[in-house]
Amino acid sequence: MDGFSCKGILDALWLLLGDPRLRRQLYVAGGILPWLLLGEDSGRLHGDADLLAQLEDMSAVREALAGLGLYQREGDSRLFSCNRTGEDYGQEVLVEGIPVHVTPFTVIEGRLIQRSFFRNRAEGWDILLRAEVEGVALEDYVERRTLPDGRRLGTLTLEVVRAAKERTGREKDRTDLQALSRLPFSPERYARVAGPVGGMRVEAVW
């Protein structure tokens, strides 16, 4: 498969997270997260880098990206030809050639809505995606962590990552689950999120 090395993905993420504004607003997600926390190489290729932001912070995120010279109109989901409403489904930027997706979420009274998108550059089309989960609290979805070297950053909670990867059965997710098993884990939080995340509804928005 095509993709990028673990080191390349981590370098791209740290370039963005080196900006204090972005570090306050962004949360690391996806398969790279356990490897970042372990400080190890995954030994596999990754398709892109995934970051989350609360929907209300997306304007500030784009301003910070513009300040770094990284904002690109062609990566702004609000401007995609398939986006009839102009709603925000996220932003793609290229960091040293690596696609990084920043996608927005909201959690209101236990109802999580996560928007995202998929781009098929080879065929020249985009698709907007909307996932909805009932029964997930904000503090069970994202958190702030202090790394061993003292750096702080936001992440998707490991319990949510684990629950999401357990439902796929993909080989790469089994590898990531092995890495997750070596990190601190809250059985209580996992019990709260496993059911809702396992029943997540994802729909394409046309």
Side-chain angles (χ1 to χ4, degrees):
M1 64 171 260
D2 295 329
F4 305 93
S5 70
C6 182
K7 182 180 184 303
I9 295 287
L10 290 173
D11 287 347
L13 287 176
W14 281 121
L15 191 152
L16 292 178
L17 297 172
D19 184 288
R21 297 165 297 176
L22 292 175
R23 193 163 58 249
R24 288 192 300 269
Q25 295 157 342
L26 298 179
Y27 300 88
V28 181
I32 198 66
L33 178 56
W35 306 102
L36 181 155
L37 296 177
L38 287 169
E40 298 179 7
D41 195 300
S42 66
R44 69 172 178 85
L45 296 178
H46 297 256
D48 55 22
D50 295 314
L51 293 164
L52 308 180
Q54 294 197 61
L55 179 61
E56 64 192 35
D57 291 332
M58 285 299 294
S59 293
V61 167
R62 286 189 173 93
E63 289 178 9
L65 291 172
L68 295 173
L70 293 172
Y71 171 79
Q72 299 160 321
R73 284 178 57 84
E74 57 268 31
D76 190 332
S77 66
R78 299 171 301 177
L79 306 177
F80 289 177
S81 60
C82 64
N83 190 342
R84 299 177 181 178
T85 65
E87 291 183 287
D88 198 341
Y89 284 79
Q91 177 73 41
E92 180 184 69
V93 295
L94 293 177
V95 182
E96 298 183 345
I98 292 177
V100 179
H101 293 151
V102 182
T103 54
F105 72 92
T106 58
V107 180
I108 301 174
E109 296 182 351
R111 181 169 176 250
L112 164 70
I113 296 176
Q114 174 72 62
R115 297 176 185 168
S116 59
F117 59 89
F118 176 77
R119 312 200 75 184
N120 188 320
R121 289 187 177 80
E123 299 182 13
W125 53 264
D126 308 310
I127 186 170
L128 304 176
L129 301 169
R130 184 180 185 274
E132 186 172 330
V133 180
E134 297 283 353
V136 175
L138 179 62
E139 60 270 21
D140 282 339
Y141 190 59
V142 293
E143 62 185 349
R144 293 284 168 184
R145 288 178 164 269
T146 301
L147 301 182
D149 62 8
R151 287 183 291 185
R152 284 185 58 80
L153 77 161
T155 74
L156 198 62
T157 66
L158 297 182
E159 294 77 16
V160 167
V161 176
R162 178 172 176 173
K165 288 185 172 292
E166 286 176 339
R167 69 197 292 260
T168 70
R170 298 179 300 189
E171 179 60 33
K172 68 176 185 177
D173 289 324
R174 287 193 288 269
T175 301
D176 295 341
L177 282 167
Q178 292 175 0
L180 284 165
S181 70
R182 296 158 52 203
L183 290 163
F185 173 76
S186 167
E188 295 80 14
R189 175 184 277 165
Y190 179 76
R192 292 194 296 269
V193 303
V197 172
M200 179 184 295
R201 302 185 302 276
V202 182
E203 62 179 8
V205 181
W206 301 100

